[in-house]
Amino acid sequence: DLKFEGKGGKEAEDFVAAVKKIALKEGRHQDSEWTAAFASTCFYGLALRWFEELDENVQSDWKLLRRAILQKWPAEARAGGRSLPTFAAAPPPAAAGPSTTTPATPTKSLSPFKCILCRSQPRPVDEEFCSTQCQDRASRAAPMLIELEATDPIHKEVNALFSVGWQKPGTPCPAVKRVYKIIMKPTLMEYYYAYR
């Protein structure tokens, strides 16, 4: 039986990977609600108490739940002593203006949300940009920050994760006012992915 007790970062990583494999084996890897419900049966001890304190929307959404788990039990120090990059919010970049490119034919269905760069074309589900042209424009302009609209699902997800991670008992969690997408130069991201 799969069991998660919240003993540390390695256990958290192994648990998330195991849940993903089981969901894939069961043909439920795209069913976030089923996967979260399955994962919820594996919590014991301190991890169970932590899980029961989460907002219901985090408990029932595997994408939010797995991020909350990995945030609560971060990666342990690795050889070499390097840590993951951290970023501070900065003012939003100058408006990118409407896209002059035609969106690529999506292989996924379109979401009701607009591209975070051009803000004029719908983007595929689970994507941030409407086309490879917008993604390339952002990469060429990197480094840059793109402020996300409050209605954007990424903004809502960050807000939920911030609430989950708030660790000042007796102090109300402040509202998230702005969320930015950080666009890095691809070469910098290659170093990060190699490290990860």
Side-chain angles (χ1 to χ4, degrees):
D1 281 351
L2 184 59
K3 190 174 189 178
F4 181 63
E5 297 178 280
K7 294 179 180 175
K10 176 75 168 93
E11 184 196 20
E13 292 168 0
D14 291 346
F15 175 70
V16 168
V19 169
K20 285 180 166 185
K21 285 179 184 175
I22 290 168
L24 183 63
K25 183 179 175 186
E26 296 294 321
R28 297 297 196 102
H29 58 284
Q30 293 185 333
D31 187 342
S32 187
E33 190 174 343
W34 182 92
T35 307
F38 168 74
S40 73
T41 67
C42 303
F43 289 100
Y44 291 88
L46 293 175
L48 176 62
R49 293 181 181 280
W50 168 82
F51 175 79
E52 292 300 328
E53 295 296 318
L54 294 174
D55 289 341
E56 205 170 295
N57 65 323
V58 177
Q59 288 180 344
S60 62
D61 184 332
W62 174 239
K63 189 173 182 181
L64 294 176
L65 179 57
R66 73 177 186 236
R67 288 186 180 177
I69 291 167
L70 295 174
Q71 180 182 1
K72 177 70 176 172
W73 292 278
E76 290 140 8
R78 307 253 198 261
R82 292 187 294 171
S83 60
L84 297 177
T86 56
F87 305 98
S99 174
T100 57
T101 60
T102 305
T105 305
T107 56
K108 296 182 179 181
S109 59
L110 293 178
S111 78
F113 302 100
K114 302 290 184 195
C115 173
I116 65 169
L117 184 67
C118 71
R119 300 187 192 270
S120 65
Q121 298 293 326
R123 65 191 197 214
V125 172
D126 295 331
E127 298 289 338
E128 297 161 341
F129 299 100
C130 64
S131 64
T132 54
Q133 291 92 341
C134 276
Q135 190 169 5
D136 291 345
R137 279 177 56 208
S139 291
R140 285 193 305 272
M144 70 183 284
L145 296 175
I146 301 173
E147 185 175 354
L148 301 178
E149 296 176 359
T151 57
D152 193 289
I154 300 166
H155 189 290
K156 291 178 180 180
E157 182 179 345
V158 168
N159 197 6
L161 289 171
F162 182 73
S163 297
V164 166
W166 185 251
Q167 297 182 2
K168 291 195 175 185
T171 306
C173 180
V176 172
K177 294 184 180 177
R178 295 174 190 221
V179 174
Y180 297 90
K181 169 69 178 174
I182 302 166
I183 308 294
M184 302 289 290
K185 293 266 186 212
T187 51
L188 289 176
M189 293 309 296
E190 286 172 15
Y191 292 128
Y192 167 66
Y193 291 129
Y195 164 75
R196 219 173 51 159

